[in-house]
Amino acid sequence: KADSRSFSIDYKNNCFQKDGKPFQYISGSIHYSRIPREYWKDRLLKMYMTGLNAIQVYVPWNFHETVQGVFNFAGDRDLEYFLNLANQTGLLVILRPGPYICAEWEMGGLPAWLLQKPNIILRSADTEYLKPASDWLAMLLTKMKPWLYQNGGNIISVQVENEYGSYFACDYNYMRHLHTLFRLFLGEDVILFTTDGNTDKEMICGTLEGHLCLTCAVNSEFYTGWLDHWGDKHASVDTVKVSKMLGEMLSMGASVNMYMFEGGTNFGYWNGKFRSVVTSYDYNAPLSEAGDPTDKLLAIRDVIKNFRDIPVGPMPPATPKFAYGFITLQKVGNISSLLDTLSPQGPVRSQYPLTFEEIKQYYGFMLYRTTLPRNVPEPTPLISPLNGIHDRAYVSVNGVFQGLMERDTALVMNVTGQQGDQLDILVENMGRVNFGSYINDNKSLLGNLILGNDVLTDWSIYPLDIDTAVANGLLQVDHSGSAMEAGDGPMIYSGTLKSTGLAWDTFVKLNGWTKGQVWVNGVNLGRYWPQRGPQQTLYVPGPFLSATQPNNITVLELERAPSHRRILFMDRPQLNSTGQKT
């Protein structure tokens, strides 16, 4: 009966109380946005069988409101279905609805359409930010209210904002407004909390009276592992250290949340930071990226056994994996030759480059096209003087790849050609910054491009909807012969993985390929970049495959494909080698 249910803080004894009795939660973070819906139940059951009694969940605003005013809670975005599965499994929920979440997620969960307002102050009481944020929270929190523990659901506490103390704005009115909104929609009884580092400034800015600051009684982010960036080594955190620390905290009576318990995957374009977080969010966590129990999980379960009765019965096994072997891809064509398919609405014309946000193409790629203003017989520098390549630019003249420019590292390259030659610059958004003061991260050629002494003008700007073209099967191999010769620069390739009667998890390895994106049956698996590493394989969940129909594989290679054009489907991941032999 809901009216006898309560979840509160006993300040005198510095502990939580559930239905009037002292309660210690042992929780793990899991992100439904990083795991296919078909696997939610499996992962939650494994967490429950480890001995957890709660989970911690972020809600990424931009995952649910990709277009302003249009809310999506269907399919992989069905948060209430996820909460219901957790409830049926026997797991309480600590909800972190933001509106800002960090989480190494694109723009920290804030929708990129906010950046259409050039002077917006994100995460502040600026009405250009606060109005859409309030509309979102009104929608979300109304849905969440029936799921509160005291209303018969499983949400025991709700976070207001996140790590606000490390943000420059330090706007009390903003935090106060959020607090009022949360109370309005969720009522007076639910525990609200903030999460911050423990320096004075962070504590002062991030917390409000009447909130539990979650560095006090509990450890809300006890790290079981760490994330990977392209070009770094694969992170790992020692199992013995993790279990020892966990045991010490639990024996003090603290409630603990392990971040992450399962990391999952940054599918599509959802990774954060332009110094990009890799596609795998494995996190060296107790459950692997593919949801498999690890030695770390077993060690954690052995610690938890000392503090509470854990469920009887076997741990559910790892999902089966299959090595489907090599397939060879055919060239479909270079990006410049496919514009009718990739940008059916045609270009936007502008004297100077416009940003992704101005054109309302928030993720992925855009092509900027102009002509050379004069003859350039000698190699002449093409420069982005204001470090305006956000984030990578692939340059070709008359369809011939010239090279690339990259934010912070490669702001100049040389070009040759004739007056009137077509200059194409494909710009890649590698994910928006998700932490700190630089989350206003516009994507584009920001500022002007200069060739020698000339400012380049008169641009045709093509927003590219590669995902829709792939999903609609529009990128098929051209058998005319002309498209068959190899070339460098941004190209699309496709091929077929024959059906085997199995639709098991697999991992695709692109040995000798350089950098790009992969789609399986129209689903964007995310970015590959084996040359920079450490991640060498992309996770392909079984539900993305068909057991009975041929599986369509599409690859956008941005720099150079290997002459063999093969990709390999393996039965295990490879997340830890830096660089590769070709």
Side-chain angles (χ1 to χ4, degrees), residues 308-357:
R308 62 181 300 249
D309 292 337
I310 66 173
V312 181
M315 177 63 61
T319 49
K321 312 291 185 288
F322 193 72
Y324 297 92
F326 281 111
I327 68 165
T328 302
L329 302 183
Q330 303 293 317
K331 185 167 140 189
V332 177
N334 66 22
I335 292 286
S336 298
S337 69
L338 295 165
L339 288 180
D340 290 350
T341 306
L342 300 177
S343 190
Q345 72 281 48
V348 176
R349 299 192 197 279
S350 172
Q351 180 78 0
Y352 299 109
L354 298 170
T355 64
F356 278 48
E357 294 76 21

Side-chain angles (χ1 to χ4, degrees), residues 57 89 121 127 180 183 206 329 352 438 477:
V57 181
T89 310
I121 303 171
T127 48
T180 306
R183 282 281 173 238
L329 302 183
Y352 299 109
Y438 300 104
V477 174

Side-chain angles (χ1 to χ4, degrees), residues 338-347 361 462-466 468-469 472 474:
L338 295 165
L339 288 180
D340 290 350
T341 306
L342 300 177
S343 190
Q345 72 281 48
Q361 160 98 19
Y462 294 83
L464 303 183
D465 191 353
I466 304 176
T468 298
N472 293 341
L474 303 178

Side-chain angles (χ1 to χ4, degrees), residues 97-277:
Y100 165 82
I101 62 169
C102 185
E104 287 77 53
W105 186 262
E106 150 76 36
M107 208 167 146
L110 300 178
W113 47 256
L114 291 167
L115 299 176
Q116 283 171 342
K117 301 280 198 290
N119 300 319
I120 192 168
I121 303 171
L122 299 170
R123 302 176 69 197
S124 79
D126 174 1
T127 48
E128 290 191 328
Y129 170 76
L130 203 53
K131 168 112 185 37
S134 304
D135 291 347
W136 156 243
L137 288 170
M139 165 82 185
L140 175 66
L141 299 177
T142 302
K143 275 182 179 297
M144 294 299 99
K145 187 171 187 181
W147 290 96
L148 297 177
Y149 183 77
Q150 44 273 49
N151 296 340
N154 53 342
I155 295 173
I156 53 172
S157 61
V158 179
Q159 173 174 307
V160 181
E161 247 281 345
N162 182 51
E163 299 164 344
Y164 191 65
S166 39
Y167 188 59
F168 77 96
C170 196
D171 183 336
Y172 287 108
N173 291 334
Y174 168 53
M175 288 300 282
R176 209 166 284 130
H177 175 88
L178 289 184
H179 182 263
T180 306
L181 267 183
F182 277 67
R183 282 281 173 238
L184 176 69
F185 288 107
L186 298 178
E188 291 300 318
D189 295 337
V190 64
I191 296 174
L192 299 179
F193 70 93
T194 55
T195 312
D196 272 294
N198 47 18
T199 65
D200 285 349
K201 171 178 184 299
E202 287 178 321
M203 293 299 250
I204 293 162
C205 285
T207 53
L208 277 173
E209 293 150 50
H211 277 232
L212 164 71
C213 165
L214 258 206
T215 32
C216 318
V218 301
N219 188 336
S220 108
E221 292 200 354
F222 170 52
Y223 296 107
T224 58
W226 198 246
L227 62 137
D228 287 350
H229 290 97
W230 292 114
D232 290 353
K233 285 195 167 72
H234 178 51
S236 75
V237 173
D238 180 58
T239 293
V240 175
K241 277 198 190 119
V242 168
S243 33
K244 183 168 176 287
M245 272 282 292
L246 180 64
E248 285 167 9
M249 288 190 291
L250 293 177
S251 61
M252 285 162 24
S255 286
V256 177
N257 176 67
M258 290 169 262
Y259 188 102
M260 294 294 298
F261 206 86
E262 181 190 349
T265 310
N266 295 312
F267 293 115
Y269 308 114
W270 289 117
N271 65 282
K273 300 198 179 79
F274 66 87
R275 186 184 160 249
S276 297
V277 179

Side-chain angles (χ1 to χ4, degrees), residues 380-394:
T380 301
L382 178 66
I383 307 174
S384 169
L386 298 177
N387 189 13
I389 306 291
H390 285 203
D391 296 306
R392 256 178 152 231
Y394 305 88

Side-chain angles (χ1 to χ4, degrees), residues 446-488:
L446 293 178
N448 286 318
L449 277 191
I450 298 174
L451 180 62
N453 300 319
D454 296 304
V455 173
L456 295 175
T457 57
D458 300 319
W459 294 90
S460 296
I461 305 166
Y462 294 83
L464 303 183
D465 191 353
I466 304 176
D467 292 78
T468 298
V470 172
N472 293 341
L474 303 178
L475 298 174
Q476 298 305 327
V477 174
D478 171 7
H479 289 293
S480 64
S482 60
M484 298 309 285
E485 77 281 356
D488 291 348

Side-chain angles (χ1 to χ4, degrees), residues 52-112:
L52 303 190
N53 55 13
I55 59 172
Q56 187 165 287
V57 181
Y58 274 131
V59 183
W61 175 10
N62 56 6
F63 192 61
H64 295 282
E65 193 182 359
T66 46
V67 176
Q68 187 166 8
V70 181
F71 298 102
N72 183 351
F73 286 92
D76 284 340
R77 292 168 167 80
D78 192 341
L79 171 57
E80 292 190 77
Y81 176 72
F82 181 80
L83 293 175
N84 190 37
L85 285 175
N87 204 14
Q88 289 170 3
T89 310
L91 292 164
L92 298 166
V93 172
I94 299 152
L95 192 74
R96 302 175 80 174
Y100 165 82
I101 62 169
C102 185
E104 287 77 53
W105 186 262
E106 150 76 36
M107 208 167 146
L110 300 178

